[in-house]
Amino acid sequence: MTSSNFPVRGLSETDRYLLKRAALEHGVSANTLVLDLLRRELDALLPGAREAYERRTEIAEQALRRQGVDPDSAEYAAVRRDARTVLARADGLRQDRTA
């Protein structure tokens, strides 16, 4: 097994053994296994969030176009900045609650 660059803290000795064993049985590194498990669990907890996040720019541009806002206009740039600010604040609020 290759060493992992994914820092997993708080694992018990049993957890580490099981992780190494599962990684060996699946022929992947512990890092790859943990990332795959984590992604599947996140997708189950937040259905559709990955796709929405990955397509966020495209979705925002489609919404602005539907409202008749020209992507080359100053209004578009201002709306885009405002949207990024709102999203950053929302992410900050969620982080404050989970910290």
Side-chain angles (χ1 to χ4, degrees), residues 21 40 82:
R21 181 175 169 181
R40 278 197 300 255
D82 291 346

Side-chain angles (χ1 to χ4, degrees), residues 2-94:
T2 61
S3 67
S4 172
N5 62 0
F6 189 89
V8 180
R9 294 181 181 90
L11 293 179
S12 69
E13 183 178 333
T14 302
D15 293 333
R16 281 191 291 278
Y17 166 78
L18 293 172
L19 176 59
K20 288 178 187 178
R21 181 175 169 181
L24 284 171
E25 287 182 11
H26 287 86
V28 297
S29 70
N31 186 66
T32 297
L33 181 62
V34 169
L35 288 174
D36 288 347
L37 292 170
L38 176 63
R39 286 181 181 126
R40 278 197 300 255
E41 186 64 21
L42 289 172
D43 289 344
L45 290 171
L46 303 166
R50 180 179 305 277
E51 181 183 356
Y53 182 78
E54 290 172 348
R55 295 185 56 225
R56 67 193 180 283
T57 301
E58 175 189 342
I59 292 167
E61 288 175 0
Q62 287 174 0
L64 288 171
R65 270 190 235 112
R66 271 184 251 142
Q67 293 177 4
V69 178
D70 178 9
D72 296 324
S73 70
E75 178 186 7
Y76 178 87
V79 169
R80 192 171 187 189
R81 275 192 309 275
D82 291 346
R84 287 178 190 254
T85 301
V86 169
L87 291 173
R89 281 190 202 136
D91 285 342
L93 291 173
R94 278 186 288 232

